[in-house]
Amino acid sequence: MGLSLRVRRRGGSGSKKEIIPVTSCSEEVEITVPSQFQCPISYELMKDPVIIASGITYDRENIEKWFESGYQTCPVTNTVLTSLEQIPNHTIRRMIQGWCGSSLGGGIERIPTPRVPVTSHQVSEICGRLSAATWRGDYAACSEMVRKLKMLGKESERNRKCVKENGAGLVLCVCLDAFSENANASILLEEIVSVLTWMLPIGSEGQTKLTTTSSFNRLVELLRNGDQNAAFVIKELLELNVAHVHALTKINGVEEAFLKSLNRDSTCVNSLTSIHHMILTNQETVSRFLELDLVNTTVEMLVDSENSVCEKALTVLNAICETKEGREKVRRNELVIPILVKKILKITEKKDLVSVMWKICKSGDGYEVEEALRLGAFKKLVVMLQVGCGEGTKEKVTELLKMMNKVMKMNGFVDRSDSSSIEFKHVKKPF
């Protein structure tokens, strides 16, 4: 039986009728919702009634949207409010719950008692207790307060916003830094990092605490152990300030930690983004990543990953190809040209793909150009020009076509553009 919910205005009275689905009959039952149970904004049955400073009761969700739109007035009286505080109207809520379960309510499902959102005062109290416990070095008390903040965030987006706006981010950063040299504090640090994922971005003072040598070392340790929340926090820090990139590259074993993260989770765009920032900033980092076989790891990610991962992996390869050492390493990988040709028309953002192909073809001995031709790159690049691309990419595509055209005139080539027949023998996963 199809059930529906419909609202229509009853002529002249200003109230409304709701047609509520009732499972005990095959027809819609017309039920009039008492006006005192309707939100004055939406004219719908209130689920979480609250009183504002004007004395008018609204449904919390609707009045919050009103305030978030910039209004500081009462929608009904239009008076300017001295406070935007919302106080739960327990009396109306209990009346609505009673009405829903009565015969007058037609057996409408009883509205559950809503969780009361956390207040600024409550968040400030928790942060104060966390700060005091941090100063004392009280691991157990810190763990308790961090768990409370985490639970508040899980309850609602409204709570997360309140927690974030009342300084919890900085307090958590201070706590993480204070326990960063405690070898037995891993569980607490994991909890802090998980909460910080919805606190970011944080202010400069909090960033300073997270990027001390000891704090950064612990974040990298969490990353090495497979904590993807740590990968996200590190990525966000690097995007906030290039100085954080320099600080990160000084940590022993950071490159190994990121490679381990990629090998564990080949869809980790956060780790790829961080690696990209590090490669662009520090030449020595490029050499260390190449020694750790980053090129082969990244190329294998291109085989069957989703487009967003492929595009980020290509960004990393493009940065590697900025160096002579990097270009030589990429050219030596037998899968690079076949995969690049395969992906030309399959990914949305083609700038880095074209740039990688252009760099290795231009710096190579001609083999790369011939290989690309045999695999059908010429036709696909022509299609790219016809469809349209950015000016810089267009110039590289044009130069690639000129290189290929020159090889065609000199040597001829065999067009194997059906690249679906290519065998990828050097990867762990089938193409």
Side-chain angles (χ1 to χ4, degrees), residues 220 222-228 231 235 254-276 278-279 289-290 292-302 304-305 308-310 312-317 320 428-429:
V220 170
L222 292 175
L223 172 71
R224 188 182 293 111
N225 293 332
D227 191 328
Q228 293 306 315
K235 185 264 294 184
V254 63
E255 295 86 5
E256 289 88 344
F258 277 109
L259 259 295
K260 192 171 182 179
S261 172
L262 289 183
N263 290 326
R264 181 183 289 108
D265 181 6
S266 61
T267 65
C268 188
V269 174
N270 294 320
S271 291
L272 284 171
T273 303
S274 296
I275 290 171
H276 180 240
M278 294 168 67
I279 289 174
F289 272 126
L290 293 178
L292 293 168
D293 210 20
L294 175 62
V295 169
N296 290 337
T297 299
T298 309
V299 171
E300 287 186 11
M301 293 175 71
L302 293 172
D304 58 1
S305 297
S308 61
V309 177
C310 286
K312 186 56 67 175
L314 286 166
T315 302
V316 171
L317 275 182
I320 291 173
K428 301 171 184 176
K429 302 174 183 177

Short mmCIF file of all heavy atoms in Angstrom, two decimals, residues 220 222-228 231 235 254-276 278-279 289-290 292-302 304-305 308-310 312-317 320 428-429:
data_model
loop_
_atom_site.label_atom_id
_atom_site.label_comp_id
_atom_site.label_asym_id
_atom_site.label_seq_id
_atom_site.Cartn_x
_atom_site.Cartn_y
_atom_site.Cartn_z
N VAL A 220 53.29 11.09 12.34
CA VAL A 220 53.90 10.21 11.34
C VAL A 220 53.87 8.76 11.82
O VAL A 220 53.64 7.83 11.04
CB VAL A 220 55.35 10.67 11.02
CG1 VAL A 220 56.07 9.62 10.17
CG2 VAL A 220 55.33 12.01 10.32
N LEU A 222 51.59 7.44 13.79
CA LEU A 222 50.22 6.99 13.61
C LEU A 222 49.95 6.65 12.15
O LEU A 222 49.30 5.65 11.82
CB LEU A 222 49.24 8.06 14.08
CG LEU A 222 49.20 8.36 15.59
CD1 LEU A 222 48.27 9.53 15.87
CD2 LEU A 222 48.74 7.13 16.37
N LEU A 223 50.48 7.48 11.24
CA LEU A 223 50.34 7.22 9.81
C LEU A 223 50.98 5.89 9.45
O LEU A 223 50.41 5.08 8.71
CB LEU A 223 50.99 8.37 9.03
CG LEU A 223 51.10 8.18 7.51
CD1 LEU A 223 49.73 8.27 6.87
CD2 LEU A 223 52.03 9.22 6.91
N ARG A 224 52.17 5.66 9.97
CA ARG A 224 52.91 4.43 9.68
C ARG A 224 52.14 3.19 10.14
O ARG A 224 52.21 2.13 9.54
CB ARG A 224 54.28 4.46 10.36
CG ARG A 224 55.21 3.31 9.98
CD ARG A 224 56.53 3.39 10.73
NE ARG A 224 57.30 4.56 10.31
CZ ARG A 224 57.54 5.64 11.07
NH1 ARG A 224 57.04 5.69 12.30
NH2 ARG A 224 58.25 6.64 10.61
N ASN A 225 51.35 3.38 11.19
CA ASN A 225 50.56 2.27 11.74
C ASN A 225 49.19 2.14 11.09
O ASN A 225 48.35 1.37 11.56
CB ASN A 225 50.41 2.44 13.25
CG ASN A 225 51.73 2.29 13.98
OD1 ASN A 225 52.63 1.58 13.52
ND2 ASN A 225 51.87 2.95 15.12
N GLY A 226 48.95 2.91 10.05
CA GLY A 226 47.71 2.77 9.29
C GLY A 226 46.58 3.69 9.67
O GLY A 226 45.43 3.48 9.26
N ASP A 227 46.85 4.73 10.46
CA ASP A 227 45.79 5.66 10.89
C ASP A 227 45.51 6.66 9.78
O ASP A 227 46.28 7.60 9.55
CB ASP A 227 46.24 6.38 12.17
CG ASP A 227 45.11 7.16 12.83
OD1 ASP A 227 44.22 7.65 12.10
OD2 ASP A 227 45.11 7.26 14.07
N GLN A 228 44.38 6.49 9.10
CA GLN A 228 44.04 7.40 7.99
C GLN A 228 43.60 8.78 8.49
O GLN A 228 43.63 9.75 7.74
CB GLN A 228 42.95 6.77 7.12
CG GLN A 228 43.40 5.53 6.37
CD GLN A 228 44.66 5.77 5.55
OE1 GLN A 228 44.77 6.77 4.86
NE2 GLN A 228 45.60 4.85 5.63
N ALA A 231 46.68 10.70 8.39
CA ALA A 231 46.99 11.09 7.01
C ALA A 231 46.22 12.34 6.62
O ALA A 231 46.75 13.25 5.96
CB ALA A 231 46.64 9.94 6.05
N LYS A 235 47.87 16.09 5.88
CA LYS A 235 47.57 16.73 4.59
C LYS A 235 47.02 18.14 4.78
O LYS A 235 47.43 19.09 4.11
CB LYS A 235 46.60 15.87 3.80
CG LYS A 235 46.30 16.36 2.39
CD LYS A 235 45.05 17.19 2.27
CE LYS A 235 43.79 16.41 2.56
NZ LYS A 235 42.58 17.23 2.33
N VAL A 254 59.96 9.66 7.40
CA VAL A 254 58.65 10.13 6.96
C VAL A 254 58.29 9.58 5.58
O VAL A 254 57.13 9.25 5.31
CB VAL A 254 58.59 11.68 6.96
CG1 VAL A 254 59.57 12.29 5.97
CG2 VAL A 254 57.18 12.15 6.68
N GLU A 255 59.28 9.45 4.69
CA GLU A 255 59.01 8.93 3.35
C GLU A 255 58.56 7.47 3.43
O GLU A 255 57.61 7.06 2.73
CB GLU A 255 60.26 9.05 2.46
CG GLU A 255 60.68 10.47 2.16
CD GLU A 255 61.58 11.06 3.24
OE1 GLU A 255 61.95 10.29 4.18
OE2 GLU A 255 61.92 12.24 3.15
N GLU A 256 59.22 6.69 4.27
CA GLU A 256 58.83 5.28 4.44
C GLU A 256 57.41 5.17 4.98
O GLU A 256 56.64 4.29 4.57
CB GLU A 256 59.79 4.57 5.39
CG GLU A 256 61.18 4.32 4.81
CD GLU A 256 62.12 5.50 5.05
OE1 GLU A 256 61.63 6.61 5.37
OE2 GLU A 256 63.34 5.30 4.89
N ALA A 257 57.05 6.09 5.88
CA ALA A 257 55.69 6.06 6.46
C ALA A 257 54.64 6.29 5.38
O ALA A 257 53.60 5.62 5.35
CB ALA A 257 55.57 7.11 7.55
N PHE A 258 54.90 7.24 4.49
CA PHE A 258 53.92 7.53 3.43
C PHE A 258 53.85 6.39 2.42
O PHE A 258 52.76 6.05 1.95
CB PHE A 258 54.26 8.84 2.73
CG PHE A 258 53.74 10.05 3.46
CD1 PHE A 258 54.59 10.91 4.11
CD2 PHE A 258 52.37 10.31 3.50
CE1 PHE A 258 54.12 12.02 4.79
CE2 PHE A 258 51.88 11.41 4.18
CZ PHE A 258 52.75 12.28 4.83
N LEU A 259 54.99 5.79 2.09
CA LEU A 259 54.97 4.65 1.15
C LEU A 259 54.22 3.47 1.77
O LEU A 259 53.45 2.79 1.09
CB LEU A 259 56.39 4.23 0.80
CG LEU A 259 56.92 4.70 -0.57
CD1 LEU A 259 56.13 4.07 -1.69
CD2 LEU A 259 56.86 6.21 -0.66
N LYS A 260 54.41 3.26 3.06
CA LYS A 260 53.70 2.19 3.75
C LYS A 260 52.20 2.46 3.74
O LYS A 260 51.39 1.55 3.57
CB LYS A 260 54.21 2.07 5.18
CG LYS A 260 53.75 0.81 5.91
CD LYS A 260 54.46 0.64 7.24
CE LYS A 260 54.03 -0.65 7.93
NZ LYS A 260 54.73 -0.83 9.23
N SER A 261 51.84 3.74 3.90
CA SER A 261 50.43 4.11 3.87
C SER A 261 49.82 3.83 2.50
O SER A 261 48.70 3.30 2.40
CB SER A 261 50.28 5.60 4.20
OG SER A 261 48.95 6.04 4.01
N LEU A 262 50.56 4.13 1.43
CA LEU A 262 50.05 3.88 0.08
C LEU A 262 49.93 2.38 -0.20
O LEU A 262 48.97 1.93 -0.81
CB LEU A 262 50.98 4.52 -0.95
CG LEU A 262 50.97 6.04 -1.05
CD1 LEU A 262 51.90 6.48 -2.17
CD2 LEU A 262 49.58 6.58 -1.28
N ASN A 263 50.92 1.62 0.26
CA ASN A 263 50.87 0.17 0.02
C ASN A 263 49.75 -0.50 0.80
O ASN A 263 49.20 -1.51 0.37
CB ASN A 263 52.22 -0.46 0.39
CG ASN A 263 53.32 -0.08 -0.58
OD1 ASN A 263 53.07 0.08 -1.77
ND2 ASN A 263 54.54 0.08 -0.08
N ARG A 264 49.40 0.10 1.94
CA ARG A 264 48.31 -0.45 2.75
C ARG A 264 46.95 -0.06 2.18
O ARG A 264 46.01 -0.83 2.19
CB ARG A 264 48.43 0.04 4.19
CG ARG A 264 47.35 -0.52 5.11
CD ARG A 264 47.48 0.05 6.51
NE ARG A 264 48.64 -0.46 7.22
CZ ARG A 264 49.74 0.23 7.49
NH1 ARG A 264 49.84 1.50 7.10
NH2 ARG A 264 50.75 -0.30 8.15
N ASP A 265 46.85 1.19 1.72
CA ASP A 265 45.58 1.70 1.20
C ASP A 265 45.85 2.47 -0.08
O ASP A 265 46.23 3.64 -0.05
CB ASP A 265 44.91 2.60 2.23
CG ASP A 265 43.57 3.15 1.75
OD1 ASP A 265 43.11 2.74 0.67
OD2 ASP A 265 42.98 4.01 2.45
N SER A 266 45.66 1.83 -1.22
CA SER A 266 45.98 2.44 -2.51
C SER A 266 45.00 3.54 -2.91
O SER A 266 45.15 4.15 -3.95
CB SER A 266 46.02 1.37 -3.60
OG SER A 266 44.75 0.73 -3.72
N THR A 267 43.98 3.76 -2.09
CA THR A 267 43.02 4.83 -2.40
C THR A 267 43.26 6.06 -1.53
O THR A 267 42.42 6.96 -1.50
CB THR A 267 41.57 4.34 -2.18
OG1 THR A 267 41.38 4.06 -0.78
CG2 THR A 267 41.28 3.10 -2.99
N CYS A 268 44.39 6.10 -0.84
CA CYS A 268 44.64 7.19 0.12
C CYS A 268 45.08 8.46 -0.61
O CYS A 268 46.28 8.71 -0.78
CB CYS A 268 45.67 6.77 1.15
SG CYS A 268 45.83 7.99 2.48
N VAL A 269 44.12 9.26 -1.02
CA VAL A 269 44.41 10.51 -1.70
C VAL A 269 45.13 11.47 -0.75
O VAL A 269 45.96 12.28 -1.19
CB VAL A 269 43.10 11.14 -2.22
CG1 VAL A 269 43.35 12.53 -2.79
CG2 VAL A 269 42.47 10.25 -3.28
N ASN A 270 44.84 11.38 0.55
CA ASN A 270 45.50 12.27 1.51
C ASN A 270 47.01 12.08 1.50
O ASN A 270 47.77 13.05 1.49
CB ASN A 270 44.95 12.03 2.92
CG ASN A 270 43.49 12.41 3.06
OD1 ASN A 270 43.05 13.41 2.51
ND2 ASN A 270 42.74 11.62 3.77
N SER A 271 47.46 10.83 1.49
CA SER A 271 48.90 10.55 1.47
C SER A 271 49.52 11.01 0.16
O SER A 271 50.62 11.58 0.14
CB SER A 271 49.15 9.05 1.67
OG SER A 271 48.82 8.66 2.99
N LEU A 272 48.84 10.80 -0.95
CA LEU A 272 49.35 11.26 -2.25
C LEU A 272 49.50 12.77 -2.27
O LEU A 272 50.48 13.31 -2.79
CB LEU A 272 48.40 10.81 -3.37
CG LEU A 272 48.46 9.34 -3.78
CD1 LEU A 272 47.32 9.01 -4.73
CD2 LEU A 272 49.80 9.01 -4.43
N THR A 273 48.51 13.47 -1.70
CA THR A 273 48.57 14.93 -1.66
C THR A 273 49.76 15.41 -0.84
O THR A 273 50.48 16.33 -1.24
CB THR A 273 47.27 15.51 -1.07
OG1 THR A 273 46.16 15.05 -1.84
CG2 THR A 273 47.29 17.03 -1.09
N SER A 274 50.00 14.78 0.30
CA SER A 274 51.13 15.15 1.15
C SER A 274 52.45 14.87 0.44
O SER A 274 53.38 15.69 0.50
CB SER A 274 51.07 14.39 2.48
OG SER A 274 49.92 14.75 3.22
N ILE A 275 52.54 13.73 -0.22
CA ILE A 275 53.76 13.39 -0.96
C ILE A 275 54.03 14.43 -2.04
O ILE A 275 55.17 14.86 -2.25
CB ILE A 275 53.63 11.98 -1.58
CG1 ILE A 275 53.66 10.92 -0.49
CG2 ILE A 275 54.74 11.72 -2.60
CD1 ILE A 275 53.32 9.52 -0.95
N HIS A 276 52.98 14.86 -2.70
CA HIS A 276 53.12 15.88 -3.75
C HIS A 276 53.70 17.17 -3.18
O HIS A 276 54.62 17.77 -3.75
CB HIS A 276 51.76 16.15 -4.40
CG HIS A 276 51.79 17.17 -5.47
ND1 HIS A 276 51.05 18.34 -5.40
CD2 HIS A 276 52.48 17.24 -6.64
CE1 HIS A 276 51.28 19.06 -6.49
NE2 HIS A 276 52.13 18.41 -7.24
N MET A 278 55.55 17.50 -0.54
CA MET A 278 56.93 17.26 -0.12
C MET A 278 57.88 17.24 -1.32
O MET A 278 58.98 17.79 -1.25
CB MET A 278 57.01 15.94 0.65
CG MET A 278 56.26 15.96 1.98
SD MET A 278 56.09 14.31 2.71
CE MET A 278 57.80 13.94 3.11
N ILE A 279 57.46 16.63 -2.41
CA ILE A 279 58.30 16.54 -3.60
C ILE A 279 58.55 17.92 -4.19
O ILE A 279 59.67 18.24 -4.62
CB ILE A 279 57.64 15.63 -4.65
CG1 ILE A 279 57.70 14.17 -4.19
CG2 ILE A 279 58.32 15.77 -6.01
CD1 ILE A 279 56.96 13.21 -5.08
N PHE A 289 62.31 9.32 -2.02
CA PHE A 289 61.10 8.66 -2.52
C PHE A 289 61.43 7.75 -3.71
O PHE A 289 60.85 6.66 -3.85
CB PHE A 289 60.05 9.69 -2.93
CG PHE A 289 59.15 10.12 -1.81
CD1 PHE A 289 58.99 11.47 -1.49
CD2 PHE A 289 58.44 9.19 -1.08
CE1 PHE A 289 58.15 11.86 -0.47
CE2 PHE A 289 57.59 9.57 -0.04
CZ PHE A 289 57.46 10.92 0.26
N LEU A 290 62.34 8.20 -4.58
CA LEU A 290 62.71 7.37 -5.73
C LEU A 290 63.42 6.10 -5.28
O LEU A 290 63.20 5.03 -5.85
CB LEU A 290 63.61 8.18 -6.68
CG LEU A 290 62.94 9.36 -7.39
CD1 LEU A 290 63.95 10.10 -8.27
CD2 LEU A 290 61.76 8.91 -8.23
N LEU A 292 62.83 4.55 -2.63
CA LEU A 292 61.80 3.69 -2.02
C LEU A 292 60.80 3.16 -3.05
O LEU A 292 59.78 2.57 -2.70
CB LEU A 292 61.06 4.46 -0.93
CG LEU A 292 61.89 4.83 0.30
CD1 LEU A 292 61.14 5.84 1.16
CD2 LEU A 292 62.22 3.59 1.10
N ASP A 293 61.10 3.41 -4.35
CA ASP A 293 60.27 2.88 -5.44
C ASP A 293 58.89 3.54 -5.52
O ASP A 293 57.89 2.90 -5.84
CB ASP A 293 60.12 1.37 -5.30
CG ASP A 293 59.96 0.67 -6.65
OD1 ASP A 293 60.34 1.28 -7.67
OD2 ASP A 293 59.45 -0.45 -6.69
N LEU A 294 58.84 4.83 -5.24
CA LEU A 294 57.56 5.55 -5.33
C LEU A 294 57.00 5.50 -6.75
O LEU A 294 55.78 5.41 -6.92
CB LEU A 294 57.75 7.01 -4.90
CG LEU A 294 56.53 7.92 -5.06
CD1 LEU A 294 55.36 7.42 -4.21
CD2 LEU A 294 56.86 9.37 -4.70
N VAL A 295 57.88 5.55 -7.76
CA VAL A 295 57.39 5.56 -9.15
C VAL A 295 56.57 4.31 -9.44
O VAL A 295 55.44 4.39 -9.93
CB VAL A 295 58.56 5.69 -10.14
CG1 VAL A 295 58.07 5.43 -11.57
CG2 VAL A 295 59.18 7.07 -10.05
N ASN A 296 57.13 3.15 -9.15
CA ASN A 296 56.40 1.90 -9.43
C ASN A 296 55.12 1.79 -8.61
O ASN A 296 54.08 1.33 -9.10
CB ASN A 296 57.30 0.70 -9.17
CG ASN A 296 58.41 0.57 -10.18
OD1 ASN A 296 58.31 1.08 -11.30
ND2 ASN A 296 59.50 -0.09 -9.80
N THR A 297 55.17 2.24 -7.35
CA THR A 297 53.97 2.21 -6.51
C THR A 297 52.88 3.09 -7.11
O THR A 297 51.71 2.70 -7.17
CB THR A 297 54.31 2.71 -5.09
OG1 THR A 297 55.29 1.84 -4.51
CG2 THR A 297 53.07 2.71 -4.21
N THR A 298 53.27 4.28 -7.55
CA THR A 298 52.30 5.23 -8.11
C THR A 298 51.75 4.72 -9.44
O THR A 298 50.54 4.84 -9.70
CB THR A 298 52.95 6.61 -8.31
OG1 THR A 298 53.59 7.01 -7.10
CG2 THR A 298 51.91 7.65 -8.69
N VAL A 299 52.61 4.16 -10.28
CA VAL A 299 52.15 3.64 -11.58
C VAL A 299 51.16 2.51 -11.37
O VAL A 299 50.14 2.42 -12.07
CB VAL A 299 53.35 3.18 -12.42
CG1 VAL A 299 52.86 2.43 -13.67
CG2 VAL A 299 54.20 4.37 -12.84
N GLU A 300 51.43 1.63 -10.42
CA GLU A 300 50.50 0.53 -10.16
C GLU A 300 49.14 1.04 -9.69
O GLU A 300 48.11 0.44 -9.98
CB GLU A 300 51.09 -0.42 -9.11
CG GLU A 300 52.23 -1.27 -9.64
CD GLU A 300 52.71 -2.29 -8.64
OE1 GLU A 300 52.03 -2.48 -7.61
OE2 GLU A 300 53.75 -2.91 -8.88
N MET A 301 49.15 2.18 -9.00
CA MET A 301 47.88 2.76 -8.55
C MET A 301 47.04 3.23 -9.74
O MET A 301 45.81 3.31 -9.65
CB MET A 301 48.15 3.95 -7.62
CG MET A 301 48.77 3.57 -6.29
SD MET A 301 49.19 4.99 -5.27
CE MET A 301 47.55 5.54 -4.81
N LEU A 302 47.68 3.53 -10.86
CA LEU A 302 46.96 4.01 -12.04
C LEU A 302 46.19 2.91 -12.74
O LEU A 302 45.29 3.18 -13.54
CB LEU A 302 47.94 4.64 -13.04
CG LEU A 302 48.64 5.93 -12.61
CD1 LEU A 302 49.71 6.31 -13.63
CD2 LEU A 302 47.62 7.06 -12.46
N ASP A 304 43.96 0.37 -11.88
CA ASP A 304 42.52 0.15 -11.73
C ASP A 304 41.89 0.99 -10.63
O ASP A 304 40.81 0.66 -10.14
CB ASP A 304 42.22 -1.34 -11.49
CG ASP A 304 42.92 -1.87 -10.25
OD1 ASP A 304 43.62 -1.08 -9.58
OD2 ASP A 304 42.78 -3.07 -9.95
N SER A 305 42.56 2.08 -10.24
CA SER A 305 41.98 2.95 -9.22
C SER A 305 40.91 3.85 -9.83
O SER A 305 40.87 4.06 -11.05
CB SER A 305 43.07 3.81 -8.57
OG SER A 305 44.02 3.01 -7.91
N SER A 308 39.57 9.82 -9.24
CA SER A 308 40.13 10.81 -8.32
C SER A 308 41.51 10.38 -7.83
O SER A 308 42.42 11.22 -7.67
CB SER A 308 39.19 11.01 -7.12
OG SER A 308 39.02 9.79 -6.40
N VAL A 309 41.70 9.08 -7.60
CA VAL A 309 43.00 8.57 -7.17
C VAL A 309 44.00 8.63 -8.32
O VAL A 309 45.16 9.03 -8.14
CB VAL A 309 42.87 7.12 -6.65
CG1 VAL A 309 44.24 6.56 -6.26
CG2 VAL A 309 41.93 7.07 -5.46
N CYS A 310 43.56 8.27 -9.51
CA CYS A 310 44.43 8.33 -10.69
C CYS A 310 44.93 9.75 -10.93
O CYS A 310 46.11 9.97 -11.22
CB CYS A 310 43.69 7.82 -11.93
SG CYS A 310 43.44 6.03 -11.98
N LYS A 312 45.27 12.20 -8.80
CA LYS A 312 46.24 12.61 -7.78
C LYS A 312 47.56 11.88 -7.97
O LYS A 312 48.64 12.47 -7.78
CB LYS A 312 45.66 12.34 -6.38
CG LYS A 312 46.53 12.87 -5.26
CD LYS A 312 46.81 14.36 -5.40
CE LYS A 312 45.57 15.20 -5.24
NZ LYS A 312 45.90 16.64 -5.28
N ALA A 313 47.52 10.61 -8.37
CA ALA A 313 48.75 9.86 -8.63
C ALA A 313 49.51 10.48 -9.80
O ALA A 313 50.75 10.56 -9.79
CB ALA A 313 48.42 8.40 -8.93
N LEU A 314 48.78 10.95 -10.81
CA LEU A 314 49.42 11.61 -11.95
C LEU A 314 50.04 12.94 -11.54
O LEU A 314 51.08 13.34 -12.07
CB LEU A 314 48.39 11.83 -13.07
CG LEU A 314 48.00 10.56 -13.84
CD1 LEU A 314 46.75 10.81 -14.67
CD2 LEU A 314 49.15 10.11 -14.73
N THR A 315 49.42 13.61 -10.58
CA THR A 315 50.00 14.85 -10.06
C THR A 315 51.35 14.57 -9.43
O THR A 315 52.31 15.33 -9.60
CB THR A 315 49.06 15.48 -9.01
OG1 THR A 315 47.78 15.73 -9.61
CG2 THR A 315 49.61 16.80 -8.50
N VAL A 316 51.44 13.46 -8.68
CA VAL A 316 52.71 13.06 -8.05
C VAL A 316 53.74 12.71 -9.12
O VAL A 316 54.90 13.15 -9.06
CB VAL A 316 52.49 11.87 -7.10
CG1 VAL A 316 53.82 11.31 -6.61
CG2 VAL A 316 51.64 12.30 -5.91
N LEU A 317 53.35 11.92 -10.12
CA LEU A 317 54.28 11.55 -11.19
C LEU A 317 54.78 12.78 -11.94
O LEU A 317 55.96 12.88 -12.30
CB LEU A 317 53.59 10.61 -12.18
CG LEU A 317 53.56 9.12 -11.86
CD1 LEU A 317 52.89 8.35 -12.99
CD2 LEU A 317 54.97 8.58 -11.62
N ILE A 320 57.43 14.39 -9.90
CA ILE A 320 58.66 13.60 -9.97
C ILE A 320 59.41 13.90 -11.26
O ILE A 320 60.64 14.01 -11.28
CB ILE A 320 58.33 12.10 -9.88
CG1 ILE A 320 57.83 11.74 -8.48
CG2 ILE A 320 59.53 11.24 -10.26
CD1 ILE A 320 57.31 10.32 -8.34
N LYS A 428 50.68 -6.25 -9.70
CA LYS A 428 50.07 -7.29 -8.87
C LYS A 428 48.61 -7.53 -9.26
O LYS A 428 48.08 -8.59 -9.02
CB LYS A 428 50.17 -6.89 -7.40
CG LYS A 428 51.61 -6.68 -6.94
CD LYS A 428 51.66 -6.08 -5.54
CE LYS A 428 53.09 -5.77 -5.11
NZ LYS A 428 53.14 -5.10 -3.81
N LYS A 429 47.97 -6.47 -9.80
CA LYS A 429 46.56 -6.59 -10.13
C LYS A 429 46.40 -6.62 -11.65
O LYS A 429 47.15 -5.98 -12.37
CB LYS A 429 45.79 -5.39 -9.57
CG LYS A 429 45.93 -5.23 -8.06
CD LYS A 429 45.26 -3.95 -7.62
CE LYS A 429 45.46 -3.73 -6.14
NZ LYS A 429 44.87 -2.46 -5.69
#
